[in-house]
Amino acid sequence: MIPIDLLEVSTYEIPTQEPYEADGTLEWSSTTVVVVTLGAGGKKGLGFSYATTACETLIKDVLAKAILGCDVLDTGAIWAKMVKSIRNLGRPGISSMSISAVDIAAWDLKAHLVGLPLADLIGKCRNKVEIYGSGGFTSLSDDQLTKQLDGWVYKQKIPRVKIKVGSNWGKLWQRDIQRVELAREYIGNDTELFVDANGAYSRKQALRMAQEFERYGVSWFEEPVSSDDLSGLRQIKESTTADVTAGEYGYSLVYFSNMANSGAVDCLQIDISRCGGITEWMRISAVAAAIGLEVSAHCAPSLHLHPACATQNIRHIEYFADHVRIENMLFDGVAQPKPGGVLSPFFESIGMGLELKAEAEKFRKDFHG
Ligand SMILES: [Mg+2]
């Protein structure tokens, strides 16, 4: 029995590199990171989520009461207590993002207590995971887009890239085609090209766009329609050669089970900072494996790297430009891509191997402000 005797939460807000960024259905000018530190037996563990300041309140007011004093070795029981504690608040959204950050911190703490890299603690089945360069915001100029593609394909040697389409809720569809054409010309035919519409298109529009994108060898069409429209996703999946994918707004096992079993996707995307942390990630991956689906990690590459190394049916990790920049700004110990487009953990490090930098303080939000 090693009781959890410390729980700290801090929130950081990092402005975007450009004045704003956009995909097909959202614009943003900053990203918020909620960082949790748990302590037990003289060791500390770290977890975080890309979320909102409200998570800090929920973690302090609700989750802390549920888990302080619990045996940190019992990560399953800790997770179950958190889920039970938010019954009346609702599982999706803020609750699940909060649970995710704490669950990851609990696993990281447990790894520190036993002195193992996190992947080894969970049950490693690989030493490295493929990544794909991701960004290509609809707010980028053509020059900015090709500069980003240049970084991934020709400097970092990542053979898979993803750009956003669905500009302005699909109203600027001609521009989407022009950008896909530009991307394909720039990266050549040896690099895989993925697109993500973030649910911007209607069903029929998505079917037409899928045909257009096929001409440029697009092999991954993410959220062609809303991820809530499972029959629409399935319709598009059955009519195009590209893999149709979704899952980034999934907050629980049941959501992913419904999506996978409805035949809506060719690859299930899971976000460990939203779905309920490492504990839920492993269960969702198993549900996908049972019907022959691979899973792909959505964003937050540093959080996914160790669990992905312990996931039999992982396809790749999204090496998302925003989060890559933020994780390198906030944390020491962030793994860097290797030629061929893979990430590999520092196996000499304990836990996830991440430490919050002192410089992160300048992005910290005043909780009461
Ligand atoms: Mg997406």
Side-chain angles (χ1 to χ4, degrees), residues 32-187:
T32 302
V33 185
V34 178
V35 178
V36 173
T37 303
L38 290 182
K43 302 281 187 184
K44 286 185 178 177
L46 181 147
F48 63 92
S49 178
Y50 291 95
T52 170
T53 315
C55 291
E56 184 168 338
T57 308
L58 191 124
I59 292 167
K60 286 175 174 170
D61 287 356
V62 181
L63 301 187
K65 287 177 191 151
I67 68 157
L68 279 170
C70 291
D71 187 346
V72 71
L73 298 179
D74 297 346
T75 42
I78 291 165
W79 182 88
K81 280 175 187 280
M82 290 195 287
V83 170
K84 191 178 171 193
S85 76
I86 53 88
R87 187 198 71 180
N88 292 350
L89 305 176
R91 173 72 190 273
I94 289 166
S95 293
S96 204
M97 289 188 265
S98 302
I99 290 169
S100 300
V102 178
D103 177 83
I104 293 164
W107 276 95
D108 191 50
L109 174 55
K110 185 171 164 180
H112 276 91
L113 284 161
V114 299
L116 287 173
L118 181 57
D120 286 336
L121 175 65
I122 304 171
K124 192 174 69 200
C125 57
R126 66 187 75 237
N127 290 316
K128 60 188 180 189
V129 184
E130 292 183 344
I131 57 171
Y132 65 89
S134 169
F137 302 122
T138 57
S139 48
L140 296 180
S141 68
D142 287 355
D143 282 349
Q144 288 171 318
L145 177 62
T146 52
K147 191 176 168 207
Q148 193 174 50
L149 293 169
D150 185 66
W152 292 324
V153 177
Y154 298 110
K155 295 200 169 66
Q156 294 184 297
K157 313 284 184 196
I158 301 171
R160 294 164 289 273
V161 296
K162 185 173 86 185
I163 68 169
K164 299 290 190 183
V165 293
S167 306
N168 194 16
W169 285 91
K171 291 188 181 67
L172 302 177
W173 57 272
Q174 296 98 329
R175 177 167 151 70
D176 294 338
I177 296 169
Q178 178 256 322
R179 292 175 80 246
V180 167
E181 182 180 14
L182 173 72
R184 173 53 77 199
E185 275 180 13
Y186 195 80
I187 65 178

Side-chain angles (χ1 to χ4, degrees), residues 23 132 134 162 164 196-198 220 222-223 245 248-249 269 298-299 318:
D23 57 31
Y132 65 89
S134 169
K162 185 173 86 185
K164 299 290 190 183
D196 181 2
N198 286 93
W220 170 284
E222 181 172 327
E223 282 192 271
T245 71
E248 67 185 69
Y249 309 117
Q269 294 180 272
H298 173 261
C299 293
E318 180 173 10

